[in-house]
């Protein structure tokens, strides 16, 4: 089971160093410790930043002025993709 709070924190930590505002996913790459290969893991779920972009992109609405709005939309996209079990 995915720990939403843990995953949210990982995303926040990874993307907070971006130079905001960001206008596209490519603007986020320099902030990632391992670039597009940066991995996010929680419970039995693991994906790279590149996979994350593909899976959650339907919820992203660039540009973003802050990390919080970006992370909120990524989490929304993951929820729509069924990553979080109903509790």
């Amino acid at each position: 089971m995915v720990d939403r709070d843990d995953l949210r924190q990982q995303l926040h930590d990874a993307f907070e160093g971006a130079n905001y505002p960001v206008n596209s996913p490519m603007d986020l790459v320099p902030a990632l410790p391992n670039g597009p290969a940066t991995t996010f893991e929680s419970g039995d779920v693991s994906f790279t930043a590149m996979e994350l972009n593909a899976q959650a992109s339907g919820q992203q609405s660039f540009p973003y002025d802050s990390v919080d709005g970006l992370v909120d939309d990524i989490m929304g996209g993951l929820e729509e993709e069924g990553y979080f079990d109903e509790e």
Side-chain angles (χ1 to χ4, degrees):
M1 173 183 265
V2 177
D3 180 333
R4 290 178 198 225
D5 293 333
D6 176 54
L7 186 56
R8 178 179 290 279
Q9 188 63 52
Q10 288 180 49
L11 294 168
H12 189 277
D13 291 348
F15 295 123
E16 72 181 341
N19 188 16
Y20 289 90
V22 294
N23 295 307
S24 75
M26 292 307 294
D27 291 343
L28 298 168
V29 173
L32 297 170
N34 294 318
T38 299
T39 302
F40 302 95
E41 298 179 8
S42 181
D44 57 354
V45 173
S46 175
F47 44 82
T48 65
M50 185 176 289
E51 293 168 331
L52 175 66
N53 181 55
Q55 295 167 354
S57 63
Q59 289 294 314
Q60 296 173 358
S61 180
F62 287 92
Y64 286 98
D65 293 324
S66 72
V67 67
D68 294 322
L70 173 65
V71 171
D72 287 346
D73 283 355
I74 292 172
M75 292 295 290
L78 292 172
E79 186 166 355
E80 277 195 12
E81 291 294 321
Y83 278 90
F84 308 120
D85 294 331
E86 293 300 319
E87 299 175 53

